[in-house]
């Protein structure tokens, strides 16, 4: 074996609190030939103890091995591994004894290891240039020994070493420091006096700010603090406020508020100045801010084959007030602007659904009504000089095949018409089928008012139901009726009037299931306009 590498140390390695194995890359012959040094975060070295602090692997390997340290070195520590061969010679060669080459080679390896060990330590030592003679070296050693007794002074110099160069640069100015020191002392005295004066001013300022009510500030000639005047102002304010409150409380009561009534507000646009605002403007603001469309009244009523009336009412549509004082007469025989004509365009058409909207004059804010085939406000041909807003539909008018208005009665959002037979049957099964309702609005969904009448013969059995189309089915009402006969005779059942929601094509679903002798008939009596913005009639 040989020593083929000059490597004689490994590390330092950084500890992380996890790793325990640290590699050394040089050959050792015994575990105790490896020295393990741990350096803590402050830079202090500790030599670890074999078997107590660490174990060694790879003994005798040319490439080295590992020192296994348990527990793992903490973060902030460092581990350094050094060759540490004892300076002893334990190989004994006897005169004329046997020759073992490996024993001699091992002894030589130990010599080389010790030399490498010395080389590593010498590399960390302070050295003197070769040109120094013995006298210079003796002088240097004497100086070092002298300084060794001055450790405290050296530490003080080291602490200010960064300023030494600056001090050297201003050495010429040092004689002036004495004069400047005297000036500084004078300025310090002046500063102390200023501080005394400032304290007195601060005390006076505190008095001007916080002295109690009705207590004059000493030495001010009868002046008072800000707190004093705050209390006086508060007293005046309370007196005025209480007086105003008393005036309001004692004023005559008014039962109903009208648009022209006035309220006081603080106007943010003019620095919170006091302004008045009309009651009508407040209602307009609230309705507009909330996006609230509503009406009270404005109920249509049948008059003749071509005319109807709209009762007095008021509402807010698009944040604009609409109001009428009495019944308004409307005619489908003429366009809007021609007498009582209310068509938005063209002439009346037979078998159609007309939608009645409230419109508002741009000139004076008055309200009239226009009838249109459009189920939405955006499709109405709005007359020139008038405006139409969302939610302003007040009613629905149907025309028959002759173009005349279908007779109706309306209360609130419920419209009643002459009962129409929807279907009658004496046989059938339970399959749901689509049913289009006559005399029912098209273009908009309503809650059709239907009932089912059933009669049966002896031992007959029948059931029938009407419900919304499948896309509207969940959570909505279904009209259902059933009658059953027995051996003693037949049976009858008149179902309750039930609102069933239609789609925009006036369609619902129906089923009929009959066994034996029975008859089923279903009728439409009107509808509820569930999308109307009317609160009450």
């Amino acid at each position: 074996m040989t020593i083929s590498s000059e490597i004689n140390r490994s590390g330092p390695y950084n500890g992380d609190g996890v790793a325990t194995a640290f590699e050394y890359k040089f050959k050792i012959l015994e575990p105790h030939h490896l020295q393990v040094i741990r350096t803590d975060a402050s830079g202090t070295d500790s030599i670890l103890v074999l078997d107590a602090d660490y174990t060694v692997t790879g003994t005798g390997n040319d490439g080295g091995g590992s020192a296994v340290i348990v527990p793992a070195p903490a973060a902030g520590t460092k581990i350094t591994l050094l060759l540490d061969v004892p300076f002893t010679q334990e190989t004994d060669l006897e005169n004329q004894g046997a020759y073992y080459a490996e024993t001699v080679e091992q002894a030589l390896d130990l010599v080389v290891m010790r030399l490498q060990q010395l080389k590593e330590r010498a590399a960390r030592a302070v050295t003197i240039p070769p040109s120094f003679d013995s006298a210079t070296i003796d002088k240097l050693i004497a100086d070092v020994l002298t300084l060794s007794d001055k450790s405290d002074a050296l530490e003080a110099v080291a602490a200010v070493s960064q300023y030494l160069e600056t001090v050297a640069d201003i050495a010429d100015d040092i004689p002036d420091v004495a004069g400047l020191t005297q000036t500084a002392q004078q300025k310090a005295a002046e500063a102390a006096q200023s501080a005394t004066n400032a304290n007195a001013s601060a005390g006076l300022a505190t008095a001007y700010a916080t002295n109690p009510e009705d207590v004059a500030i000493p030495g001010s000639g009868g002046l008072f603090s800000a707190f004093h005047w705050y209390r006086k102002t508060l007293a005046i304010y309370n007196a005025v406020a209480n007086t105003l409150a008393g005036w309001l409380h004692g004023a005559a009561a008014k039962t109903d508020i009208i648009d022209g009534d006035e309220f006081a507000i603080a106007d943010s646009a003019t620095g919170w100045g006091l302004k008045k605002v009309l009651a009508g403007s407040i209602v307009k603001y609230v309705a507009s801010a909330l996006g609230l469309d509503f009406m009270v009244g404005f109920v249509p009523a049948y008059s003749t084959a071509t005319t109807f009336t709209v009762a007095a009412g008021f509402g807010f549509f698009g944040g604009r007030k609409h109001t009428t004082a009495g019944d308004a007469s409307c005619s489908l025989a003429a366009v809007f602007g021609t007498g009582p004509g209310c068509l938005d365009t063209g002439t009346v058409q037979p078998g159609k659904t007309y939608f009645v909207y409230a419109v508002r004059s741009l000139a004076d804010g008055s309200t009239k009504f226009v009838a249109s085939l459009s189920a939405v406000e955006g499709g109405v041909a709005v007359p020139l000089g008038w405006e139409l807003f969302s939610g302003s539909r007040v009613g629905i008018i149907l025309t028959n095949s002759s173009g005349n208005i279908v007779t109706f009665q309306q209360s609130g959002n419920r419209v009643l018409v002459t009962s129409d037979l929807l279907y009658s049957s004496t046989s059938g099964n339970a399959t749901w089928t689509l049913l289009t309702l006559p005399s029912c609005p098209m273009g908009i969904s309503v809650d059709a008012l239907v009932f089912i009448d059933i009669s049966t013969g002896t031992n007959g059995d029948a059931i029938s139901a009407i419900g919304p189309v499948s896309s509207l089915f969940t959570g909505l009402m279904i009209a259902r009726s059933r009658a059953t006969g027995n051996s003693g005779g037949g049976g009858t059942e008149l179902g309750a009037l039930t609102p069933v929601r239609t789609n925009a094509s006036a369609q619902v679903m129906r089923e009929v299931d009959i066994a034996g002798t029975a008859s089923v008939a279903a009728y439409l009596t009107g509808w509820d306009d569930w999308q109307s913005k009317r609160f009450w009639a």
Side-chain angles (χ1 to χ4, degrees), residues 199-213:
N199 287 335
S201 297
L204 187 60
T206 300
Y208 270 105
T210 62
N211 246 36
E213 184 179 8

Side-chain angles (χ1 to χ4, degrees), residues 14 18 36 182 224 242 287 462 485 532-533:
N14 291 322
V18 177
V36 180
Q182 183 177 359
F224 294 90
N242 290 335
S532 171
K533 302 297 184 180

Side-chain angles (χ1 to χ4, degrees), residues 488-529:
T492 61
E493 179 69 28
L494 179 62
L497 188 66
T498 305
V500 177
R501 188 154 297 178
T502 70
N503 61 16
S505 299
Q507 294 174 323
V508 293
M509 303 293 289
R510 63 107 175 190
E511 68 165 353
V512 177
D513 192 8
I514 297 176
T517 302
S519 63
V520 175
Y523 300 89
L524 171 73
T525 63
W527 64 85
D528 287 335
D529 187 0

Side-chain angles (χ1 to χ4, degrees), residues 8 14 23 46 79 145 147-148 157 225 258 365 426 461 490 505:
N8 50 47
N14 291 322
E23 184 181 20
S46 299
I79 299 298
L145 293 176
L147 289 175
S148 66
V157 171
S225 69
I258 62 174
T426 58
D461 190 9
S505 299

Side-chain angles (χ1 to χ4, degrees), residues 320 322 358-362 365 382-389 392:
R320 300 292 192 274
H322 298 61
V359 291
R360 186 173 184 274
S361 171
L362 293 172
V382 181
L384 185 65
W386 297 79
E387 56 186 351
L388 174 64
F389 297 96
S392 61

